[in-house]
Amino acid sequence: MKLKHYLRHRRATVFWIVGFLLLVLTAFIGPFFVHGDSVTIVVDDRNSGPSWQHPFGTDNLGRDLLMRVLLGTQNSLIIAVIATIIQLVIGISYGSIMVFFGRRVDSFMMRLIEIITSLPDLLITMLLLIWLGNSFGAMLFALTVTAWCPTARQVRGLFLKFLNYDFVIAAQMLGSRLPKIIIKHLLPNIMSIIILDIAIAIPGYIFSEAGLSFLGVGLKSPDTSLGVLIQIGQSNIQIAPHELLIPGAILVFIVLAMNFIADAIRDVYDSRYQFLSKEDYAN
Amino acid sequence: MQIKNLSINFSTSGQIIHAVQDVNLNLDHAKITAIVGESGSGKSVTARAIMGLLEKNAIITSGQILHDDDFQFNSDAQKTQTVDLLTLSNKQMQKIRGKSIAMVFQDSFAYADPTMKIGYQVAESVRAHNPRLPKYEVKELVIQWLEKVGIKNARTRYNDYPHQFSGGQLQRILIAAALINSPKVLICDEPTTALDVTTQKVILELLKELSSQTDTKILFITHDIAVVANIADYVFVMQNGRVIEESRSIYNPKEAYTQQLLQIALNKQKINTLQIQEQNSQILTATGISVQYGKKHAVKNVSLSLHENEVLGIVGESGSGKTTLIKVISGILYAQKGDVNYHGVSVAKMSKSQKARFRQNVQMIFQNPNHSLDPRMKIEDIILEGVVNYNVVEKNAQTQYVKELLQKVHLDEKLATRYPHELSGGQKQRVSIARALATQCEILLCDEPTSALDVQTEFQILNLLREIQQETNLSIIFITHDINLITQYAHNIIVMHNGQIAGYGNTHEIIENPTDEYIVQLLESVPKLQVHQ
C-alpha cells in the first residue's frame, strides 16, 4: 500500500527501477540473440565504429563490442550480487553468534572485527588478488574479505537494541529461547534495514570490481566485466572513444539506478517509523 | 482572545484527517480556562494554531483567531487593537509569540536546550523582545522571576544546566520563561502530565497563584478532568475535533460524553473494602529484595506476599523502584539480596522443569502497547507464541483457542489475521492480555498497563482485567503511579517511596488511616473531585 502510494508520486524512481530491470534482462537474455563473438580475434577489423554487423563496433582486437558489453555487464552484476550475498550471510551469522553467546565470546569476536577493520581494506583486496591471481573466485574472496565486518557490527547493534524491547522480554516470558527469539523476532524486524544494505552494497561492489579491473588486478581478458572494458577503452580513447563511453555509461546507469532504488526503500521502510502507529503520527 | 469557527485538516499519505472542526473558544469568561479532551480530540492542535506552530501538512480551512493587544507592526503609536492571528505573516507572529502569547509544554526536558545555561535560556525570551535592555537588568529580571516560581538560590542556579534540575523544577523555570514578558495569554499544554502527582500539585498551585498576581489569562489543556476541577474557572470539553460543551463548572455536564468522563473520574475515588478470603493460600512471596545499581539502591529490603486470586497494587512515583521490583518478581532480573518463592520453592534454586512451570505461570502486561507486540507478527501468531512453547493445546485446536481468547478479551475474531499496527492502543493491550492468558498463567504482572491509554479505554481495560480475575483464579500484581486507579480494585496495596515500602496493607486501611507521612502527602496531592450530588 505504502509502496504503491510512494511510487505514484515518484515518477523518476519508477523510471530508474524499470530501466534497471530492462538492463538486467538484456544483459542476461541478449547474448542468445546477438551474433557477435566475444573471444574470436579478428585482426583486420580492429577498433571499427558501429555497423550493421557490429552495432557497438569492435574492440582493439576486433571482438564484437556489443557481445562483450552484454557479457561484461552480466559478470559485473553476478559478482556484485554474489558478493552481497556472501557479505550478508557472514555478517548476519557473525552478528547473531556474538549476540547469542554474549560476554567473552562477544568481546573476542568484536576485537577480531576491530582488527580487520583497522587494516586498509583496498590494500588487502589488491594484495589478495595479486597473490591469488585473477579468477572469479579470487575476486569474490578479495571483495568480501573485509566487507562483512560493518554488517556484523550493525546486526549486533540492532539485535542488542531490540533485546531491550518489551516484545522480546514478553517472548522470553512466553518461554521462547534465544535462538528462536533471534530467528522469529529479531531477524524479521531488521529485514528492512538489510534490504537497504543490499541496495547500497550492490553498486558498491560493481564500482569496486570496475576499479580493480581498471587497475589491472581484476578480471583479465578474455573474461570480461565493465571494469575490464573501461580499462581497454581508455587506452584507445583517441581512436575509438565509443569503447570507453558505452561501458562507462552503463556503469553510471547501474549505480544511479541502484541509488534511486535504495532511496525509495529507505523512504518506504525507514526503520525509525516501524514502531510508529497512527496514533503516534497524530500526536 | 477569541477563536471563531476554526477548522484544521491534516493530510497524511493521501488521507485527510479533520483534526479540528468548527471550534469556537472564548477566553474572556475567566482567568483560567481549560480545554479537556482525550488524545486526538484536537485540543493540542488548537493550541498550536494559536501559536502559529502547526506542522506543514496542516491546512486551516476556515476560522479566525482574534487577539487583542498593543501591537507595533506599523510605526503607529502603541494602541490596543484586535487582529486575526491567522492572517499574520511569520515575521509578525514572531513578535507576538513569547511576548503577547506564551506557551508551556508537556515534556520540559525536550523544550530546554541541554547545552545552554538555564539563566540564558530564560533571558533569551526577554532579549528577543527587548533587545535594547542592558544585560545586567535582564539578569536581575530573570533572577527575580526564578525566585518567583520557587527556585531556591536563583542567583547561583542561574548558571546551572537543565540536567541539574528535576522535571518539576524545570517546568517551573519554563513557566518563568513564558511569563517573564507578562504575556496576555499563557497556553499550558498538559504541563503536569509528565510529572509526579506531588510535583503536579505544586505546579498547579504556582499557576493559580501567578494568575491571581498578574493579568495573564491561562489556557490550560489537559486530559484529566480532576485537574480541571481544581484549576479552571471555565471549561471547554472537546471530542473528535469539536467543542461539545462549555460551562463554568465541570460538575453539571449536559452531554453524555462528559457525564461519562466525570463518572469514571468519580468512580476512581471510590475505595473498595475487599478482603482476601482466608482459604486462599499464598502462591508467591518475596523476602528482603534489594537491588543496587552501583551505589544507588533501586529497591531496598522489600518483602511481599501474593495470595491466590488476590489483586495487589504497587503504587509509586517515578524512580520509586516499582518497575525494578516487578522485574525481580518476574525473573527477568536477579536481586542481589533477597529471595522470591513460588509455591514454597525459591526461584533461584529451581530445577529446569520447575523454572519452565514458573515462567509459564507468571506473565506480564507492559506499559507501552506499541512496543510490547512484535510488529512483524500477526495477532494469532503473537497469541500462540507461548501456547506453542509450553504446549498448552494440541496443534489442530489452536485456531479455535485463539478465537476463544479473543472473545474473552472482547475482541473481534477477525483481528486474528491482522498486524499490530492496524489496531488501536486499547485493542493492542487486549491482545497483550490474551497472549498472557493463553499460557493459562496463575499470576499476571501488570506494569502500568493503562498509562498510555485514554480515560475511557483505561476504564474498559481495568474492567476487563477484573472480570477475568473474578472468572478465573488469577492473581494480579498491578503497578501504577496513579493511586486512584487501584483503590477500586486491589485487595492490598503497597506504596513505594525511594525503593522502600512506605506502606503495605489492606487498601481501605492504607487510604483511610495512612500512617506514613509520605502516603499522607501523596493522598493530598492527588487532584480530587468533590462528591456532592
Side-chain angles (χ1 to χ4, degrees), chain A residues 1-74:
Chain A
M1 275 309 285
K2 225 179 145 192
L3 185 71
K4 256 188 200 167
H5 176 77
Y6 179 83
L7 291 180
R8 200 169 296 145
H9 292 268
R10 309 281 151 106
R11 300 283 163 173
T13 310
V14 176
F15 165 78
W16 287 107
I17 292 174
V18 171
F20 180 68
L21 291 177
L22 280 177
L23 182 82
V24 173
L25 219 63
T26 324
F28 282 86
I29 297 175
F32 296 108
F33 299 99
V34 176
H35 297 294
D37 193 332
S38 72
V39 273
T40 314
I41 295 168
V42 184
V43 185
D44 296 339
D45 196 16
R46 288 178 301 172
N47 296 328
S48 66
S51 63
W52 278 113
Q53 204 187 351
H54 303 293
F56 280 6
T58 57
D59 72 354
N60 60 344
L61 296 174
R63 298 172 290 197
D64 179 46
L65 197 60
L66 175 59
M67 192 64 173
R68 282 180 62 77
V69 165
L70 289 174
L71 291 177
T73 310
Q74 218 184 79

Side-chain angles (χ1 to χ4, degrees), chain A residues 88-151:
Chain A
L88 289 181
V89 169
I90 297 178
I92 293 173
S93 323
Y94 197 93
S96 308
I97 291 167
M98 282 201 283
V99 171
F100 177 70
F101 287 105
R103 294 162 194 257
R104 287 167 78 178
V105 177
D106 177 42
S107 88
F108 172 76
M109 290 172 84
M110 199 64 196
R111 295 295 90 75
L112 207 67
I113 288 185
E114 278 161 14
I115 291 168
I116 294 173
T117 42
S118 68
L119 302 170
D121 50 354
L122 184 65
L123 201 65
I124 294 182
T125 308
M126 285 174 65
L127 288 175
L128 274 174
L129 277 173
I130 291 165
W131 179 44
L132 293 171
N134 302 330
S135 73
F136 218 83
M139 187 77 185
L140 285 174
F141 178 67
L143 281 174
T144 50
V145 72
T146 58
W148 57 271
C149 288
T151 312

Side-chain angles (χ1 to χ4, degrees), chain A residues 5 165-167 169-176 180 184-185 188-189 192 274-280 283, chain B residues 13-14 330 332 359 362-364 366 370-377 385-386 389-390 424-425 428 435 439:
Chain A
H5 176 77
Y165 270 88
D166 286 346
F167 70 83
I169 296 172
Q172 277 173 314
M173 303 196 73
L174 292 164
S176 296
K180 194 175 175 184
K184 271 190 79 174
H185 295 287
N189 274 296
S192 56
Q274 51 181 330
F275 279 103
L276 295 186
S277 61
K278 276 178 195 147
E279 295 142 50
D280 290 318
N283 286 335
Chain B
S13 52
S330 68
I332 300 171
R359 274 272 153 93
V362 181
Q363 290 300 325
M364 195 153 162
F366 298 87
N370 296 331
H371 286 196
S372 56
L373 306 176
D374 188 338
R376 305 274 154 175
M377 277 167 88
E385 183 166 9
N389 287 334
Y390 296 121
S424 71
K428 281 184 217 170
R435 170 175 68 181
T439 61

Side-chain angles (χ1 to χ4, degrees), chain B residues 218-378:
Chain B
I218 295 179
L219 176 61
F220 194 94
I221 295 169
T222 180
H223 66 279
D224 190 342
I225 206 161
V227 169
V228 171
N230 279 295
I231 190 167
D233 310 319
Y234 201 88
V235 185
F236 290 90
V237 182
M238 282 188 80
Q239 186 195 16
N240 299 329
R242 291 175 189 280
V243 171
I244 55 163
E245 188 163 356
E246 54 172 292
S247 70
R248 287 212 166 269
S249 154
I250 198 72
Y251 290 109
N252 301 310
K254 292 178 196 75
E255 293 292 321
Y257 172 75
T258 325
Q259 284 167 357
Q260 207 179 353
L261 284 187
L262 188 69
Q263 200 49 49
I264 291 171
L266 284 170
N267 276 341
K268 273 172 91 174
Q269 292 180 2
K270 285 184 189 158
I271 300 158
N272 74 69
T273 48
L274 295 169
Q275 296 282 351
I276 305 165
Q277 282 164 325
E278 274 183 22
Q279 72 266 24
N280 288 357
S281 59
Q282 286 187 354
I283 50 176
L284 186 122
T285 54
T287 40
I289 303 282
S290 292
V291 179
Q292 261 176 300
Y293 295 121
K295 275 188 182 170
K296 200 171 164 271
H297 276 279
V299 173
K300 198 173 179 184
N301 198 19
V302 170
S303 304
L304 59 90
S305 67
L306 183 70
H307 295 76
E308 211 177 299
N309 213 5
E310 176 187 344
V311 179
L312 173 65
I314 302 180
V315 183
E317 300 188 333
S318 59
S320 63
K322 54 192 195 305
T323 301
T324 312
L325 179 64
I326 210 169
K327 276 187 179 163
V328 170
I329 293 170
S330 68
I332 300 171
L333 191 76
Y334 285 100
Q336 279 111 337
K337 273 188 213 155
D339 199 13
V340 179
N341 279 287
Y342 175 67
H343 283 298
V345 186
S346 165
V347 172
K349 292 170 192 151
M350 276 182 174
S351 69
K352 251 193 172 169
S353 63
Q354 281 175 318
K355 191 117 197 196
R357 206 171 73 88
F358 171 71
R359 274 272 153 93
Q360 181 180 351
N361 281 328
V362 181
Q363 290 300 325
M364 195 153 162
I365 316 269
F366 298 87
Q367 177 173 5
N368 189 338
N370 296 331
H371 286 196
S372 56
L373 306 176
D374 188 338
R376 305 274 154 175
M377 277 167 88
K378 284 182 185 160

